[in-house]
């Protein structure tokens, strides 16, 4: 279990709240899924992170798993600010959880709570520790860089179906591979187009966003589909099979 990050200071005798982010991804929902967490180090310029595969799972399972793995990895004595772009995962373990427990793990409609095992585990991990949740919108120009890091790492873990991470001073998540592994066999990622001699279709972005290369694109700028979503046409072309 990880202790406090290097360079953690003290405020009024209390350890500074450490910034962390977590995210999950599912390519198909349900489909090949992955999770990731990121913890800011010292001055916030370096991070340590971990990502892993989930096989076939829903996006909600991936999001909750990412939070569970983050809480498991960090010592309970370390105060955390957890940044997430999943309102479902945040509300599940804060807003909705007390009511679910009172109703015997049933929703307001009387149905069993989805993903109960993960929610119960997270509830146990949150007990007695200092955690502040902060919602951050995903895929924003100049958005939260830790959430963006976790988003890309989770997406790449979903595609590769392999674990990844770095203990300290990690540069960036590894580049996404060309294939999704399912059932032990490799197959072309669902979003990847097969080579046909024609160029990828482009359209003008309705909203600003961030390409798989890490650079932002503006509303109105031409974008094309790539294995991780939408981004610069050149990046999509570079990712296409030879």
């Amino acid at each position: 279990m990880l202790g406090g990050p290097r360079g953690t200071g003290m405020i009024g005798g209390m350890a500074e709240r450490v910034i962390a982010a977590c995210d999950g991804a599912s390519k198909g929902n349900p489909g090949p899924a992955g999770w990731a967490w990121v913890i800011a180090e010292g001055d916030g310029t370096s991070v340590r992170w971990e990502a892993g595969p989930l096989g076939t799972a829903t996006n909600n399972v991936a999001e909750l798993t990412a939070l569970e793995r983050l809480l498991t990895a960090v010592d309970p004595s370390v105060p955390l600010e957890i940044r997430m772009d999943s309102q479902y995962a945040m509300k599940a373990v804060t807003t909705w959880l007390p009511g679910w427990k009172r109703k015997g793990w049933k929703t307001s409609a009387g149905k069993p709570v989805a993903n109960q095992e993960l929610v119960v585990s997270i509830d146990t991990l949150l007990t007695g520790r200092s955690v502040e949740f902060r919602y951050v919108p995903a895929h924003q120009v100049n958005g939260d860089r830790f959430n963006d890091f976790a988003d890309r790492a989770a997406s790449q873990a979903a595609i590769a179906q392999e674990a990844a991470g770095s203990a300290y001073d990690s540069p960036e998540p590894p580049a996404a591979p060309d294939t999704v592994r399912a059932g032990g066999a490799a197959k072309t990622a669902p979003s990847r187009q097969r080579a046909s001699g024609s160029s990828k279709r482009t359209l003008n972005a309705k909203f600003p966003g961030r390409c798989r290369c890490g650079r932002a694109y503006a509303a109105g700028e031409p974008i094309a589909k790539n294995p991780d979503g939408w981004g610069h046409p050149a990046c999509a072309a570079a990712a296409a099979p030879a």
Side-chain angles (χ1 to χ4, degrees):
M1 179 175 289
L2 302 177
R6 298 170 299 170
T8 298
M10 304 291 287
I11 300 178
M14 297 290 290
E16 287 185 34
R17 196 169 293 278
V18 172
I19 296 173
C22 58
D23 206 358
S26 176
K27 305 300 181 179
N29 198 27
W35 55 269
W37 55 257
V38 177
I39 300 174
E41 289 290 336
D43 59 3
T45 59
S46 60
V47 298
R48 48 183 163 165
W49 61 282
E50 186 177 357
L54 284 172
T56 299
T58 66
N59 188 63
N60 287 342
V61 167
E63 297 280 5
L64 288 170
T65 300
L67 176 57
E68 181 192 43
R69 299 297 174 88
L70 169 62
L71 293 171
T72 301
V74 179
D75 190 288
S77 65
V78 177
L80 286 174
E81 175 189 306
I82 301 178
R83 301 177 181 180
M84 305 178 68
D85 60 30
S86 170
Q87 295 205 43
Y88 162 78
M90 286 183 58
K91 289 181 177 179
V93 300
T94 56
T95 306
W96 302 330
L97 190 147
W100 288 341
K101 293 168 77 172
R102 286 195 305 270
K103 295 175 176 135
W105 293 100
K106 296 291 178 60
T107 66
S108 57
K111 296 181 180 180
V113 171
N115 309 315
Q116 178 181 334
E117 184 176 345
L118 278 167
V119 176
V120 170
S121 176
I122 292 168
D123 182 37
T124 300
L125 289 165
L126 287 171
T127 302
R129 65 196 301 167
S130 178
V131 176
E132 289 183 4
F133 287 97
R134 177 183 166 193
Y135 172 73
V136 291
H139 312 300
Q140 300 293 305
V141 174
N142 299 322
D144 184 82
R145 75 182 190 89
F146 298 115
N147 174 256
D148 179 67
F149 191 116
D151 175 83
R152 286 182 287 122
S155 180
Q156 290 159 10
I159 293 171
Q161 285 298 293
E162 293 178 351
S166 177
Y168 291 108
D169 300 321
S170 173
E172 291 293 321
D178 291 343
T179 57
V180 170
R181 291 184 177 87
K187 63 179 182 179
T188 303
S191 59
R192 182 176 296 281
Q193 297 182 3
R194 296 185 184 277
S196 61
S198 61
S199 60
K200 286 181 175 288
R201 183 174 66 90
T202 63
L203 52 81
N204 292 332
K206 291 184 178 180
F207 306 99
R210 190 174 297 277
C211 178
R212 69 196 299 269
C213 70
R215 294 181 291 115
Y217 58 81
E221 184 177 343
I223 55 175
K225 188 74 171 177
N226 65 52
D228 300 317
W230 291 87
H232 305 113
C235 296

